[in-house]
Amino acid sequence: PLYWAAGFLWRWTQMFYSTIDISQTQWSDFTFQAEGEPKINPLDGRPHGQNRIDDTWAFKTGTEYLFTTRSSEIPVRAGFAYEERPALGRPDIFYSISAGSGLPIGKAQNRMFVDFAYIYSWANNVRGIVPSQSALSSDVSEHQGYVSVIKHF
């Protein structure tokens, strides 16, 4: 499906900034079609147009502050997100909060950062895309952790 996004960054000071972005995925135009077959709704397999899929929106915001010492910088990040995900009927709504930081390793030009991030996402009465159980819903709670290594050249 067609996806677009727009975002802004505000630099409050040299060491503190915030971001906001909004995006849309146009699921209403999304179809699946096998060769020689009619277009179908990819969520439930019915003919396209019989069960309309709503377009979904997402809004994300975050901030970062860089704590500095004589020899290094340590970033501290936090964020919040609202995300609609495609589902039969109306979109499922998910919320997320995140936090992260990084630690420098090495000195000056050979320095690398080991970055850590944690994301907690939740949703209530999620119906998802289980066509045979369309009256079924559940609550969702997701915990995600990420570690990355960043090397600047």
Side-chain angles (χ1 to χ4, degrees):
L2 178 66
Y3 169 84
W4 67 264
F8 301 95
L9 177 127
W10 284 273
R11 188 171 293 273
W12 305 100
T13 68
Q14 191 65 19
M15 300 298 177
F16 178 57
Y17 65 90
S18 300
T19 62
I20 293 177
D21 72 89
I22 187 169
S23 62
Q24 183 190 46
T25 305
Q26 296 183 355
W27 291 101
S28 59
D29 294 333
F30 187 64
T31 63
F32 176 79
Q33 185 175 18
E35 187 174 333
E37 299 289 328
K39 291 180 180 180
I40 62 169
N41 178 331
L43 297 185
D44 65 4
R46 294 185 182 182
H48 177 66
Q50 191 174 44
N51 280 347
R52 182 171 164 80
I53 305 172
D54 291 337
D55 296 336
T56 58
W57 291 86
F59 169 80
K60 298 175 183 177
T61 184
T63 193
E64 177 180 78
Y65 185 81
L66 295 172
F67 289 97
T68 58
T69 66
R70 286 192 315 190
S71 62
S72 187
E73 308 172 333
I74 299 175
V76 175
R77 302 179 194 98
F80 173 79
Y82 164 91
E83 178 186 7
E84 296 177 342
R85 296 184 188 174
L88 297 174
R90 65 182 187 347
D92 290 331
I93 297 173
F94 283 74
Y95 299 93
S96 299
I97 55 173
S98 60
S101 187
L103 298 172
I105 298 175
K107 294 184 179 188
Q109 294 171 334
N110 293 324
R111 184 174 19 195
M112 296 187 315
F113 284 88
V114 177
D115 215 38
F116 306 94
Y118 169 76
I119 302 170
Y120 173 65
S121 300
W122 71 95
N124 295 319
N125 297 318
V126 173
R127 292 183 37 178
I129 56 170
V130 184
S132 61
Q133 301 293 326
S134 61
L136 194 63
S137 70
S138 62
D139 294 340
V140 175
S141 179
E142 299 174 339
H143 299 270
Q144 299 175 53
Y146 297 93
V147 176
S148 62
V149 176
I150 301 166
K151 171 73 174 150
H152 297 276
F153 295 96

